Amino acid sequence: NKTYYFLDPPGPPSTPEIIDSNFNYIRLKWNKPDHDGGNPVSGYIIEYKEEGSADWIQCNSYPVKLPEYT
């Protein structure tokens, strides 16, 4: 007999905060989810949306491991 374990999805991270910025970049930082669903979060995908647009645009090609992004 095989035993299967089902993990819950993680909760959301905290709302990102801008911790530094200038005309070239924005540096964001957030807290990991309070509940990881039984499996640590392995990375984050960052998206942005231009004002007035309904479309989200992905910023990073690969998930970032730390809860921050520039």
Side-chain angles (χ1 to χ4, degrees), residues 2-3 13 16 18-19 21 25 28-29 37 43 51 58 60 65-66 68:
K2 290 185 178 181
T3 302
I18 297 172
I19 57 172
S21 67
Y25 71 89
L28 302 172
K29 191 168 185 162
E51 188 174 350
Q58 187 171 319
N60 50 331
K65 298 197 181 286
L66 298 176
E68 60 182 64

Side-chain angles (χ1 to χ4, degrees), residues 12-70:
S14 67
T15 300
E17 295 181 38
I18 297 172
I19 57 172
D20 193 15
S21 67
N22 71 21
F23 61 92
N24 288 323
Y25 71 89
I26 295 174
R27 184 171 176 213
L28 302 172
K29 191 168 185 162
W30 59 91
N31 294 319
K32 296 178 180 182
D34 291 334
H35 175 69
D36 65 14
N39 194 19
V41 173
S42 60
Y44 301 91
I45 297 293
I46 293 80
E47 298 178 323
Y48 73 93
K49 182 172 77 163
E50 293 185 14
E51 188 174 350
S53 174
D55 299 325
W56 287 90
I57 300 167
Q58 187 171 319
C59 296
N60 50 331
S61 301
Y62 301 98
V64 294
K65 298 197 181 286
L66 298 176
E68 60 182 64
Y69 185 76
T70 301

Side-chain angles (χ1 to χ4, degrees), residues 2-13:
K2 290 185 178 181
T3 302
Y4 294 96
Y5 296 97
F6 297 98
L7 302 174
D8 292 329

